[in-house]
């Protein structure tokens, strides 16, 4: 019943803001435009279409707001007026009452606001779908005054998100049951993955831990800054972090006026992304422009500032190796290797013809090489790859959905910064170096060093473990093992006899040759 009422609410919101009229007028067929005029009769739809879409998404809740955030970065797919309006969703979602934020803080820390902060600004500086941010001043555990940013969870989020996720899960079940193609897309697993990350985002302590891990990972890269978390002031509903001072990356005119090298900024963004994905397997998965700033401070001029770590993607070693090999093969235009990797990973059914899959992948990717980013749409490439995957029954991997979303975010950001950026040539040297490190002697040494403590503990125990095994096994198994050991000893003696006999034979030949030479002299 709850799902049904939510479905009705979504339909009513769509009708209220005229989203049905927007869809119909987007088609070129005259009769559909006539239908659009008819359905708009009696409704006040004077506001611009972008504003109506933004307000509808805000009314529908955080999941739909996040959908709008992703869309706002795809200016190649949207008209400029809609893209500009959706950009407001990145950090300008209407804030909730500051009194509620203060009550949440006091409930979390069980003391008055004045006992928590030296100074607290009740006016929020940013408001997103999940939480909003206030500036404050704290006294750290050393007694020093520190400027801080306080993130407070938006009230009632869990109930709204769970309602939408239930609806999405129900619709995913319908899609999966309709056809084999729907089953191949694994919609329920994708929704489950989305469910996991959204619930993780509702725990702000988890976000703080994500930020701390990213800060350690990125410490030596000198390309990106991550705020320090003040752990004495962290709670599932409230976290307090170092205040970062930067310019939003969307304000390109201001960055250019300050002297920031915008093309370098675009290249650095690609380096940061591939470092997090392939070196660490731990990446910021919500990299829309609202979460990214650029420092203008003299000591850190031109560096990225990352914010909002509620959604983090992770990859296993096998995921990283598979993806890196795919990327390197793409960059080398080795489409046969890409097809082989799909077969080796089990993503395509056994018996798939490599040559046919290779030809299909080449047809999709070859037209886009050696082009600047302004002439490439990764969204279009992915769409065509999905069409190809349907033909060859490629199984969608739910753990890579966040990576695909982040890649689209990176493309949208790169397109805004430097349309001339060559994404392929920027990423290729990094990935080739990463692959060399993975299979080179340095990697072998690192793995041996990592396993050394385990081996050092295990090796002295081997005689005892073998003795315990022999003692505890049933008599028949022990007898078989003893017979096997006896046979191994006989084999060893035979091998020793053959080896020693061979050595004696060779030495005898040498001795005979020596005697013959002595007699000749």
């Amino acid at each position: 019943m709850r799902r049904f009422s939510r479905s009705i609410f979504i339909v009513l919101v769509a009708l209220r803001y005229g989203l049905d009229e927007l869809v119909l007028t987007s088609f070129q067929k005259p009769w559909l435009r006539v239908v659009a005029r008819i359905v708009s009769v009696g409704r006040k739809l004077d506001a611009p279409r972008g504003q109506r879409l933004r307000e509808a998404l805000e009314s529908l809740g955080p999941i739909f707001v996040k959908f709008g955030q992703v869309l706002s970065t795809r200016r190649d797919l949207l008209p400029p007026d809609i893209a500009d309006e959706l950009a407001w969703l990145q950090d300008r979602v209407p804030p909730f009452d500051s009194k509620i934020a203060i009550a949440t803080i006091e409930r979390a820390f069980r003391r008055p606001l004045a006992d928590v902060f030296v100074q607290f600004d009740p006016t929020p500086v940013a408001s997103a779908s999940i939480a909003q941010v206030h500036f404050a001043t704290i006294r750290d555990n050393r007694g020093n005054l520190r400027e801080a940013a306080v993130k407070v969870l938006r009230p009632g989020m869990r109930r709204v998100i769970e309602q939408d996720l239930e609806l999405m899960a129900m619709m995913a079940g319908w899609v999966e049951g309709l056809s084999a193609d729907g089953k191949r897309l694994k919609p329920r697993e994708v929704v489950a993955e989305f469910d996991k990350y959204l619930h993780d985002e509702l725990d702000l302590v988890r976000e703080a831990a994500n930020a701390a891990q990213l800060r350690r990972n990125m410490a030596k890269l000198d390309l990106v800054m991550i705020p320090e978390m003040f752990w004495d002031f962290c709670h599932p509903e409230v976290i307090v972090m170092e205040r970062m001072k930067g310019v939003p990356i969307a304000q390109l005119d201001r960055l250019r006026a300050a002297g920031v090298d915008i093309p370098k900024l675009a290249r650095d963004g690609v380096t940061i992304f591939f470092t997090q994905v392939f070196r660490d397997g731990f990446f910021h998965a919500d990299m829309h422009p609202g979460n990214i700033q650029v420092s203008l401070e003299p000591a850190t001029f031109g560096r990225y500032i990352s914010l909002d770590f509620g959604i983090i993607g992770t990859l296993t070693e096998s995921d990283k190796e598979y993806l890196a090999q795919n990327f390197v093969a793409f960059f080398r235009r080795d489409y046969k290797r890409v097809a082989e990797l799909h077969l080796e990973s089990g993503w395509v059914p056994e018996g798939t013809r490599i040559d046919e899959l290779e030809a299909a992948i080449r047809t999709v990717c070859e037209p886009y090489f050696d082009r600047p980013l302004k002439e490439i749409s990764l969204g279009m490439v992915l769409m065509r790859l999905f069409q190809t995957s349907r033909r060859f029954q490629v199984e969608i991997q739910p753990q890579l959905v966040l990576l695909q979303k982040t890649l689209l975010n990176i493309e949208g950001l790169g397109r805004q910064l430097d349309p001339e950026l060559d994404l392929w040539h920027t990423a290729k040297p990094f990935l080739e170096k990463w692959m060399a490190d993975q299979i080179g002697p340095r990697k072998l040494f690192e793995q041996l060093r990592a396993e050394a403590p385990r081996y050092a503990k295990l090796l002295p125990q081997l005689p005892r473990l073998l003795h315990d095994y022999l003692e505890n096994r049933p008599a028949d198994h022990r007898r078989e093992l003893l017979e096997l050991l006896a046979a191994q000893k006989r084999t060893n003696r035979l091998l020793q006899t053959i080896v020693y006999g061979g050595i004696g034979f060779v030495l005898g030949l040498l001795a005979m040759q020596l005697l013959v030479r002595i007699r000749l002299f």
Side-chain angles (χ1 to χ4, degrees), residues 507-517:
L507 290 175
L509 289 177
L510 291 174
M512 290 177 63
Q513 290 182 358
L514 182 60
L515 289 173
V516 170
R517 289 183 180 181

Side-chain angles (χ1 to χ4, degrees), residues 3 42 59 121 176 255 324 403:
R3 295 175 191 167
S59 300
D121 187 351
E176 193 168 297
L255 293 174
L403 181 63

